[in-house]
Amino acid sequence: MNFKESLYLLRTLGIALWVILAVILFGTGAIIASFLDSRGNWPHIVARWWAKSILLVSRTKVKVRGLENIDPSKPYIFMPNHSSNFDIPVLLGHLPVQFRWLAKAELFKFPLFGYAMKRAGYISIDRSNRKSAFESLDQAAAAIRNGRSVLIFPEGTRSRDNRIQEFKKGGFVLAIKAGVPIVPVILHGTWQIMAKTGITIRPGDVLLEILEPIDTTAYPLNQKERLMDDLRQRMIEVYEAGKAAGR
């Protein structure tokens, strides 16, 4: 390991220590806020500042493009690509709308962090349990009917090769049943900051690109695969174009 890599590793350890401390501080704040706001808006705001603190200490700069494509007063299902641990802080910190995560159950098992997520109204999904997964989709549908946007990683997990992976069906069933638009979101640059296969965190620039919503009412339930393919192809085109442009 050369000197530069050693410095990155030391920085990563420092950032990791801050993340632990921030989970304690902001997690406690989110839990307290959840007792003051039953809709979960205040806890989400606390989570936003948690995310921004992580981006600050890791020297991650974020630019947002495409805000004109969404109306903050309307519910959507946001679907971003997923290639890094930094996708979550970037989305929490810089997607300027109230939304609730539909996230894998493992995240809810972390002490304090998981409890804060539950208190904020984020929704756990256990893909290993079919019945539980459908119950989670019903929860998400109820949140959408109450005017709340939901965010889902359609790939289910982080990419290992910096390419957009195959999509899971659950989010598309939810979108068609709820009849709300899907908003594709492309995160450019998070892979370079911390890849799934990497152990160090590097400073860098991220572009959060919000694409035009897709009208799900044009797709009956028996055509969910066509909706998946149309969305994935659109996201691949934009993501690969970003890589070619050096993003």
Side-chain angles (χ1 to χ4, degrees), residues 55-195:
L55 298 174
L56 179 64
V57 299
S58 62
R59 292 166 56 198
T60 299
K61 297 179 181 178
V62 181
K63 180 181 179 181
V64 181
R65 176 189 295 170
L67 283 175
E68 69 278 3
N69 290 324
I70 57 174
D71 180 347
S73 67
K74 294 181 179 179
Y76 300 99
I77 296 180
F78 293 97
M79 291 196 178
N81 61 303
H82 197 13
S83 59
S84 170
N85 281 328
F86 272 73
D87 296 339
I88 290 175
V90 168
L91 290 163
L92 265 177
H94 290 276
L95 190 58
V97 296
Q98 282 282 336
F99 64 86
R100 300 295 175 261
W101 295 94
L102 186 63
K104 57 186 179 182
E106 291 79 2
L107 290 176
F108 291 80
K109 295 177 181 178
F110 286 99
L112 192 63
F113 181 76
Y115 185 62
M117 289 178 68
K118 289 178 183 178
R119 293 294 306 178
Y122 300 157
I123 302 162
S124 167
I125 182 166
D126 182 0
R127 291 191 176 89
S128 65
N129 185 320
R130 185 178 177 84
K131 181 181 177 182
S132 175
F134 277 109
E135 289 174 353
S136 298
L137 292 177
D138 289 340
Q139 280 185 264
I144 293 168
R145 285 193 290 270
N146 288 328
R148 181 71 65 224
S149 293
V150 171
L151 189 146
I152 303 170
F153 288 115
E155 297 165 270
T157 189
R158 287 167 293 154
S159 170
R160 287 185 171 275
D161 60 3
N162 199 23
R163 296 177 183 272
I164 293 179
Q165 307 299 296
E166 296 295 327
F167 286 173
K168 308 292 184 183
K169 295 180 181 179
F172 297 90
V173 172
L174 171 64
I176 293 172
K177 285 186 174 181
V180 298
I182 292 175
V183 177
V185 178
I186 305 297
L187 298 172
H188 303 276
T190 55
W191 170 271
Q192 287 77 12
I193 293 168
M194 188 180 191

